Amino acid sequence: MISYVSTTRDITVTVRPFYLDEPSDLVEREFAFGYAICIENTGPDEVQLLRRRWIIQESDGSRQDLTGDSNLRPHPVIAPGETHVHDGSCTIESFNGTVEGNYLVQRADGEQFRASVPSFPLHAAAN
């Protein structure tokens, strides 16, 4: 499985996307994907994940802009040297697409910044 990695200010985000054949439906043009996400804190201070933003771009030009915190509750705190792992999924109507985005992260002193999610491809039947 191919990994895509991005580091922003001591926060490394690794994504491993995969095509989900079973829930996908070629006739209905519904292509399902899953992804495993690992967020590693390589810095000296703990951080908390507050919110995420995904931008899903399909090959036909359509776009989904998803913002929220529902998949991050309770808002995980990541200690120095620790990781937080979670998974996600999305459905698109095109055979191909891309995803990019960021996590809103807060340090213990209240400073907030956006940790980049690496751009990663979605390819139907690419397993």
Side-chain angles (χ1 to χ4, degrees):
M1 191 178 312
I2 298 174
S3 297
Y4 301 86
V5 181
S6 177
T7 301
T8 308
R9 298 177 64 186
D10 298 325
I11 304 300
T12 299
V13 179
T14 303
V15 181
R16 292 180 182 93
F18 49 92
Y19 177 64
L20 298 170
D21 188 51
E22 186 60 35
S24 295
D25 187 330
L26 177 63
V27 175
E28 296 294 324
R29 298 195 57 81
E30 294 176 352
F31 303 101
F33 298 87
Y35 37 84
I37 302 162
C38 179
I39 303 167
E40 181 181 12
N41 179 2
T42 61
D45 303 309
E46 71 178 22
V47 297
Q48 184 172 30
L49 301 178
L50 301 178
R51 209 170 22 244
R52 61 109 173 115
R53 179 177 185 206
W54 291 124
I55 301 167
I56 303 169
Q57 183 80 34
E58 297 193 41
S59 60
D60 67 2
S62 63
R63 178 179 155 145
Q64 300 175 50
D65 194 338
L66 309 170
T67 303
D69 68 349
S70 62
N71 68 339
L72 294 176
R73 289 190 190 144
H75 301 284
V77 174
I78 309 171
E82 298 293 321
T83 61
H84 170 74
V85 177
H86 68 274
D87 58 8
S89 63
C90 67
T91 302
I92 61 175
E93 296 176 357
S94 301
F95 284 98
N96 299 296
T98 58
V99 179
E100 60 185 37
N102 61 64
Y103 287 96
L104 181 61
V105 177
Q106 181 171 296
R107 295 196 189 282
D109 66 3
E111 176 194 9
Q112 294 183 353
F113 64 95
R114 297 195 184 280
S116 178
V117 172
S119 177
F120 60 93
L122 303 174
H123 299 297
N127 283 349

